[in-house]
Amino acid sequence: MWAMLIANVAIDFDLSPHWSLSIPVYYSGINYFVETLKFRTFALQPAVRYHFRRGQDGFFVDAHFGMAYYNVAVPGAYRYQDHSMTSPMWGGGIGFGYRMPLTPDRRWKFEVAVGAGVYSLHYDRFRNEHNGKLVDTRKEVYYGLDHVSVSFGYMFNVGKTHKK
């Protein structure tokens, strides 16, 4: 996401020794130097994760839900936008990943993850030019990869008490 200048942040909540909830949010509202190249989006992809080891380090699997509003233009004939700006892409899927501590105090973490899913799209195609004309409206189903991530994180341990 950083390569496309899409800001993103995620919050993870430990629900139990093996379960967690991850809520990533993505946002971009810019054109890439020209009007015919943009990747504007607001997206959420919350996931419930099962960690095979206590403490949420090591391998995990997840079930996730995703939704995104979008306005995308790449070099070519068309710009794609969720239908009438009221029909976000939505769907969900499954994924897996691995998380490991980077520091002795285990607060800094490194994580890699990948997931796949099925998403319903209802979108408008416009000519990829300034004030491009509406070409058509389409409905499709996408299935395939829906996220590949490499992340660095910090654990705050909010609300946890430590006994001496």
Side-chain angles (χ1 to χ4, degrees), residues 28-123:
S28 175
I30 63 170
N31 294 345
Y32 299 112
F33 312 111
V34 294
E35 193 169 293
T36 57
L37 180 60
K38 65 181 88 179
F39 198 91
R40 296 181 180 179
T41 188
F42 171 75
L44 299 169
Q45 195 176 48
V48 174
R49 294 176 168 181
Y50 177 79
H51 301 265
F52 293 100
R53 290 181 28 198
R54 293 175 67 91
Q56 280 75 12
D57 286 338
F59 287 101
F60 62 84
V61 293
D62 75 44
H64 55 269
F65 165 79
M67 64 76 62
Y69 290 94
Y70 55 93
N71 183 349
V72 178
V74 294
Y78 304 108
R79 176 177 62 84
Y80 305 89
Q81 182 173 320
D82 52 275
H83 178 65
S84 299
M85 297 185 292
T86 60
S87 299
M89 171 183 74
W90 62 271
I94 57 173
F96 65 94
Y98 186 82
R99 180 187 295 166
M100 62 183 269
L102 289 175
T103 57
D105 66 3
R106 307 180 71 78
R107 288 192 179 266
W108 284 99
K109 305 283 184 167
F110 173 75
E111 179 180 298
V112 293
V114 64
V118 178
Y119 289 83
S120 173
L121 295 100
H122 184 193
Y123 63 93

Side-chain angles (χ1 to χ4, degrees), residues 84-160:
S84 299
M85 297 185 292
T86 60
S87 299
M89 171 183 74
W90 62 271
I94 57 173
F96 65 94
Y98 186 82
R99 180 187 295 166
M100 62 183 269
L102 289 175
T103 57
D105 66 3
R106 307 180 71 78
R107 288 192 179 266
W108 284 99
K109 305 283 184 167
F110 173 75
E111 179 180 298
V112 293
V114 64
V118 178
Y119 289 83
S120 173
L121 295 100
H122 184 193
Y123 63 93
D124 298 326
R125 284 192 324 161
F126 296 87
R127 299 293 304 158
N128 192 15
E129 57 194 35
H130 181 69
N131 291 329
K133 219 177 153 174
L134 176 65
V135 174
D136 60 16
T137 298
R138 295 182 175 198
K139 288 186 177 183
E140 294 182 16
V141 175
Y142 166 81
Y143 55 94
L145 285 178
D146 62 3
H147 71 274
V148 175
S149 65
V150 175
S151 306
F152 295 93
Y154 184 80
M155 301 287 290
F156 287 101
N157 293 334
V158 175
K160 293 188 178 182

Side-chain angles (χ1 to χ4, degrees), residues 3-23:
M4 296 188 303
L5 302 177
I6 297 174
N8 62 89
V9 64
I11 299 173
D12 288 13
F13 299 97
D14 293 348
L15 303 174
S16 74
H18 290 279
W19 292 93
S20 70
L21 173 66
S22 176
I23 305 173

